[in-house]
Amino acid sequence: MKFKLDKLASNVKAIRQDFPILDREVNGKRLAYLDNAASSQRPVSVINKFNEIYSNNYSNVHRGVHTLSMESTELYENVRKKIANFINVDDQNEIIYTKGTTESINIVARGWAKYNLKKGDKVVLSEVEHHANLVPWFMLRDEIGIIIEFIPVLDDFNLDLDSLEKIIDKKTRLVAVSQISNSLGTIIPLNQIIETAHSNGALVLIDAAQSAPHQKIDVKDLGADFLVFSAHKLLGPNGVGVLWAKMDILEQFKPFIGGGDMISKVTFENATWNEIPYRFEAGTPNITGVIAFGEAIDYLNNNNYVELCQYAHYLSEFARKELSALSYIEILGPSDPSLRSSLFSFDIKGVHPHDVAQILDSAGVAIRAGHHCAQPTLNRFGFSSTARASFYLYNDMNDVEQFIESIDLVEKRFL
Amino acid sequence: MDASLDDLYREIILDHNRNPRNYGALNEGNIVEIEEFNPLCGDKIVLYLQSDKEIIVNVHFTGEGCSISQASASIMTDLMIGKKINEADELLDKFRLYMTDLNNSEPDVNLGDIDAFQGVKKFPARVKCAGLAWNSLGKALQELNS
């Protein structure tokens, strides 16, 4: 174990060189970036890809017969295969490019559920979901009268799996849950949820926004029907996301956004749809963003990201243990490290999380403070906001030490 | 200690945060009640403004928030008690001018302890925190004026 940690620490030391932003100072201090669950940073290969494409290949895709358009199209389409491999999908046409996880879920709600679910049908969510996996379903409920029910979260921050049989029933058409809670850090045991859903004839949507950066995603192994995630949390550009669904399900979708590139034929009266996936990608897409996302996937694969993320988890748990020894700090989330991701929410008694984040910022430490777009989850545990530290594959022990020292500054000023 | 942080967290702000004045609901007399949220952080304030004709008799608040928003609510309520409604309107305008004009370092004398928020202006993300209670005051005054 010790040997492995030393090896991982030295790997992290090497890859930090690839992230220019980690060299900058914040308020005169070394930057300790611990807001990775909100958005990660990018390696130089991803950053340079934009320059390279705009300098050499850029044009619109799927439209021109000229060389630049063909080159752009090829670079852009090649990433579909990379993403398919990344989540173990055979048919790359099942990969839909979106703006991000939020848009992906909205497309499922507006493009699939709206036409395939009817009044009284049930959509089951969990009590640890991000607003992105709540609000689209509320909007659909108000429009077509679906019923929303929640898998409860217990006082130990794990989902109440004993309630599954009661909540997921024959009326349930979709179960939409995250793989990792962004506010609590809880890893959701999906197997039992998916099994119960499928045995009742319901489909399953996995929100992998927090899990895809840290672990190998295998949709076949999971048995998921829809899976969504964002590029910007795994070293890719912001404004790029993925919606994956099985082809027979994608065929049940109606296009959510109409316009150029998504049609087969348009007359003054009507239009017919282009093939899948283009049917769902109207308008000029985020061409450079998608191509640069391909670069991010290469970077993750070439650097054995799953192993590096084990080190991020080690750091997160180390920091959590240090903080939990302080009487004035309460930490949310399961106590068992194997049930937690590489993030933790915490509360310093008597100090508002914004004040905590402000003091930490003065020490160069970037953390998130607020409701993490999970207001109902935090309210369930009696908080309106918390501070959150989240770790990724370029974090090192210096970040942890700087973080813990900066907590002392909060104590000195406020307690 | 960090100089700009010392400026942000001036002693007067920390004091009002620790011991907020006029905290608690009001439910007697002619009360206007305004609930205001900061969607960024989930903070909430409920303002209770009790008036008698043209005079603000009492102002209280409840809710939760960071030290800046709590201190701002505490100082604002202190300042408003006993003021005429048109005076409160004027003070609100002056506060907004003071918080948004980076060159205007001296607040109007009638704004009392508000110069404690001078340091907040250097942290644009926190100006909203200072403004939450004042926004609820603005809504309460609007209701009284309409």
Side-chain angles (χ1 to χ4, degrees):
Chain A
M1 181 67 184
K2 175 78 172 74
F3 171 74
K4 192 180 177 194
L5 284 175
D6 287 347
K7 179 177 160 276
L8 287 173
S10 104
N11 292 352
V12 167
K13 196 173 175 192
I15 75 152
R16 285 181 66 86
Q17 308 301 318
D18 298 333
F19 292 81
I21 205 167
L22 300 180
D23 287 338
R24 74 159 278 182
E25 291 191 344
V26 168
N27 295 316
K29 308 286 185 333
R30 171 190 181 278
L31 168 66
Y33 187 75
L34 300 178
D35 193 19
N36 294 290
S39 204
S40 73
Q41 299 298 345
R42 282 116 204 83
V44 74
S45 60
V46 171
I47 298 166
N48 287 350
K49 201 70 187 174
F50 284 95
N51 199 338
E52 184 193 322
I53 299 299
Y54 279 132
S55 304
N56 296 298
N57 316 97
Y58 180 79
S59 177
N60 213 331
V61 292
H62 305 145
R63 283 158 177 82
V65 294
H66 59 79
T67 302
L68 294 187
S69 180
M70 285 190 298
E71 285 179 8
S72 286
T73 302
E74 191 181 346
L75 289 161
Y76 174 81
E77 284 302 322
N78 283 347
V79 176
R80 241 183 260 278
K81 188 70 199 157
K82 279 185 191 175
I83 296 170
N85 290 338
F86 189 68
I87 59 174
N88 197 21
V89 164
D90 294 330
D91 180 357
Q92 66 181 69
N93 292 326
E94 292 176 349
I95 303 294
I96 317 291
Y97 296 139
T98 68
K99 277 196 317 201
T101 303
T102 298
E103 190 182 60
S104 299
I105 296 175
N106 275 278
I107 290 174
V108 175
R110 302 259 136 191
W112 178 78
K114 184 177 171 182
Y115 303 105
N116 290 278
L117 270 53
K118 57 181 192 306
K119 190 176 177 189
D121 282 349
K122 202 196 275 188
V123 171
V124 172
L125 311 171
S126 88
E127 283 186 347
V128 302
E129 297 307 314
H130 188 281
H131 293 169
N133 196 26
L134 294 175
V135 182
W137 305 113
F138 294 160
M139 290 164 74
L140 188 69
R141 175 196 59 199
D142 296 345
E143 201 174 327
I144 68 166
I146 54 166
I147 295 164
I148 297 171
E149 274 191 47
F150 291 91
I151 305 167
V153 61
L154 299 166
D155 290 343
D156 67 3
F157 304 96
N158 291 305
L159 292 191
D160 179 13
L161 297 179
D162 292 340
S163 72
L164 289 182
E165 294 290 343
K166 202 173 72 205
I167 292 169
I168 301 173
D169 57 19
K170 295 291 177 199
K171 281 202 306 191
T172 307
R173 298 289 312 282
L174 179 73
V175 178
V177 286
S178 52
Q179 193 163 18
I180 287 171
S181 155
N182 77 310
S183 57
L184 305 177
T186 308
I187 297 173
I188 310 299
L190 291 175
N191 288 349
Q192 204 180 327
I193 295 174
I194 294 173
E195 212 178 288
T196 311
H198 285 170
S199 69
N200 283 282
L203 299 181
V204 179
L205 180 148
I206 305 298
D207 174 355
Q210 292 296 336
S211 55
H214 291 268
Q215 65 195 68
K216 177 67 194 160
I217 302 288
D218 184 330
V219 294
K220 281 189 216 159
D221 188 46
L222 277 169
D225 302 293
F226 308 84
L227 186 120
V228 295
F229 63 102
S230 299
H232 72 94
K233 291 194 207 285
L234 39 95
L235 312 182
N238 57 311
V240 178
V242 174
L243 161 61
W244 167 80
K246 289 177 182 159
M247 189 52 75
D248 59 329
I249 299 171
L250 286 173
E251 283 162 357
Q252 301 169 5
F253 276 66
K254 282 196 187 181
F256 173 49
I257 298 174
D261 211 28
M262 56 77 73
I263 46 83
S264 160
K265 186 185 170 198
V266 183
T267 65
F268 280 122
E269 288 77 35
N270 239 319
T272 52
W273 312 140
N274 196 348
E275 303 194 331
I276 296 169
Y278 314 110
R279 186 182 296 177
F280 306 115
E281 298 174 357
T284 296
N286 189 347
I287 300 164
T288 46
V290 166
I291 297 170
F293 181 34
E295 206 63 29
I297 292 176
D298 287 344
Y299 187 91
L300 291 169
N301 288 331
N302 295 340
N303 288 285
N304 195 353
Y305 73 105
V306 174
E307 195 176 68
L308 285 174
C309 285
Q310 288 170 5
Y311 192 68
H313 187 253
Y314 163 76
L315 294 177
S316 178
E317 286 302 301
F318 186 95
R320 182 170 74 98
K321 209 172 145 198
E322 290 284 316
L323 255 58
S324 61
L326 303 170
S327 61
Y328 54 89
I329 291 187
E330 184 179 344
I331 296 178
L332 285 74
S335 53
D336 180 349
S338 71
L339 300 175
R340 306 186 57 101
S341 179
S342 305
L343 68 87
F344 57 87
S345 276
F346 62 100
D347 179 60
I348 301 188
K349 288 190 186 85
V351 188
H352 190 277
H354 267 192
D355 293 319
V356 174
Q358 190 83 60
I359 306 270
L360 265 57
D361 181 63
S362 75
V365 180
I367 60 158
R368 175 83 186 266
H371 53 59
H372 319 299
C373 296
Q375 280 184 316
T377 310
L378 289 188
N379 292 343
R380 152 72 178 80
F381 291 101
F383 295 96
S384 63
S385 64
T386 62
R388 180 186 70 188
S390 53
F391 297 77
Y392 203 27
L393 42 72
Y394 38 66
N395 286 122
D396 62 10
M397 198 42 104
N398 293 326
D399 294 331
V400 173
E401 282 167 6
Q402 198 175 332
F403 168 64
I404 292 165
E405 280 167 22
S406 68
I407 295 290
D408 285 344
L409 298 176
V410 179
E411 191 202 359
K412 284 201 187 94
R413 195 171 286 270
F414 278 96
L415 300 177
Chain B
M1 282 282 196
D2 193 304
S4 66
L5 264 195
D6 289 341
D7 204 20
L8 175 67
Y9 294 120
R10 291 188 189 181
E11 193 44 51
I12 190 159
I13 289 182
L14 294 178
D15 174 58
H16 276 272
N17 179 45
R18 274 190 294 263
N19 308 297
R21 327 296 197 254
N22 314 309
Y23 193 91
L26 286 179
N27 38 33
E28 278 176 36
N30 180 29
I31 307 274
V32 175
E33 185 180 325
I34 301 287
E35 196 176 52
E36 188 80 356
F37 292 91
N38 182 346
L40 188 75
C41 53
D43 284 356
K44 172 182 147 175
I45 185 171
V46 186
L47 191 78
Y48 305 87
L49 192 148
Q50 183 191 355
S51 62
D52 184 10
K53 298 190 183 85
E54 289 303 302
I55 304 290
I56 295 172
V57 180
N58 205 353
V59 192
H60 269 216
F61 74 102
T62 58
E64 49 192 279
C66 64
S67 59
I68 306 296
S69 77
Q70 294 291 288
S72 178
S74 174
I75 291 170
M76 183 277 285
T77 49
D78 249 0
L79 192 62
M80 291 302 155
I81 294 171
K83 293 282 190 300
K84 287 183 181 156
I85 288 167
N86 61 356
E87 288 173 338
D89 274 325
E90 269 174 39
L91 286 171
L92 175 61
D93 287 344
K94 283 176 177 163
F95 170 80
R96 286 182 168 153
L97 187 68
Y98 171 67
M99 288 309 289
T100 49
D101 182 0
L102 290 174
N103 301 317
N104 175 19
S105 55
E106 285 290 315
D108 188 279
V109 284
N110 296 320
L111 283 173
D113 285 343
I114 286 301
D115 68 344
F117 289 87
Q118 183 60 32
V120 177
K121 293 195 213 176
K122 293 181 199 139
F123 297 86
R126 306 305 294 277
V127 169
K128 272 196 175 148
C129 311
L132 188 65
W134 290 82
N135 288 344
S136 62
L137 173 73
K139 287 187 181 170
L141 293 175
Q142 220 171 19
E143 214 169 297
L144 284 176
N145 286 328
S146 65

